[in-house]
Amino acid sequence: AEQVSRRHYHQQQFHKAATTTRSRFQHFQHHHEFDILQMTSDDLASRLSEGYLPTIVVDTRDNIISSDGQVQAQVRGALFCPAPCFHSDHIRFLIEKAKERKRVCNTGISNHKCCVVFYDKSSTRRSTKCATRFWQTVRQCGGTNEITVKVLRGGAKSWFRSFGKNHRLVQDFAFDEKR
């Protein structure tokens, strides 16, 4: 009887340890499942310059009007979706736009996913929050075979430091109005 209860005790301990390990693994997997990768300015510039890779850029800065009333520059072709206003309507619109961009860019035998890149001023807090919300919706809709999501490392500051004078990559509204 003692040997049976000892065996039962060890089975319980083993089950308890396995359950704890599994739940820790599941927590780790769940915690990291929505981590959004960052993209360097050079990588984004390459994608935009090549033109054949489906890419959408989203500017999540709260305001693109400077204190002196000028519209600030942004990545050329970026969609302006301020983080506080980034809701389900914007997300659905972006998903449809990404699917359309993938369809248009993938002619012939290529089958590249559309890369949706979010950025804000310099940190990645706002853009990561929007990117995570977007990615969760993409996963729920089953669009992971068509769309990838990234955040621009260093945000707009890094982008303009690298490409501020390149008007093929930067939409500088003040400069464009002077021409």
Side-chain angles (χ1 to χ4, degrees), residues 79-98:
L79 302 173
F80 179 59
C81 294
C85 304
F86 191 72
H87 298 297
S88 57
D89 292 340
H90 291 105
I91 293 171
R92 280 194 298 275
F93 169 78
L94 274 176
I95 289 173
E96 289 308 311
K97 189 108 175 129

Side-chain angles (χ1 to χ4, degrees), residues 39-41 44 75 117-119 124 150-156 159:
M39 176 179 276
T40 66
S41 293
L44 179 58
V75 175
V117 183
F118 290 80
Y119 76 93
T124 57
K150 307 264 178 149
V151 170
L152 182 62
R153 181 181 295 144
W159 180 261

Side-chain angles (χ1 to χ4, degrees), residues 67-119:
S67 57
D68 62 352
Q70 293 290 323
V71 177
Q72 295 178 8
Q74 67 182 138
V75 175
R76 185 165 293 281
L79 302 173
F80 179 59
C81 294
C85 304
F86 191 72
H87 298 297
S88 57
D89 292 340
H90 291 105
I91 293 171
R92 280 194 298 275
F93 169 78
L94 274 176
I95 289 173
E96 289 308 311
K97 189 108 175 129
K99 288 179 179 181
E100 177 187 328
R101 184 72 52 95
K102 180 183 184 297
R103 225 178 0 266
V104 167
C105 292
N106 287 325
T107 56
I109 60 170
S110 65
N111 192 24
H112 299 283
K113 292 181 180 184
C114 182
C115 185
V116 181
V117 183
F118 290 80
Y119 76 93

Side-chain angles (χ1 to χ4, degrees), residues 131-173:
T132 301
R133 243 184 286 161
F134 178 72
W135 183 239
Q136 287 171 338
T137 305
V138 167
R139 286 176 53 94
Q140 289 169 355
C141 296
T144 57
N145 290 332
E146 299 177 291
I147 301 170
T148 62
V149 180
K150 307 264 178 149
V151 170
L152 182 62
R153 181 181 295 144
K157 265 187 182 175
S158 173
W159 180 261
F160 298 127
R161 195 175 316 120
S162 299
F163 304 106
K165 301 215 186 294
N166 184 338
H167 295 286
R168 288 189 332 242
L169 296 173
V170 173
Q171 178 72 43
D172 186 347
F173 298 100

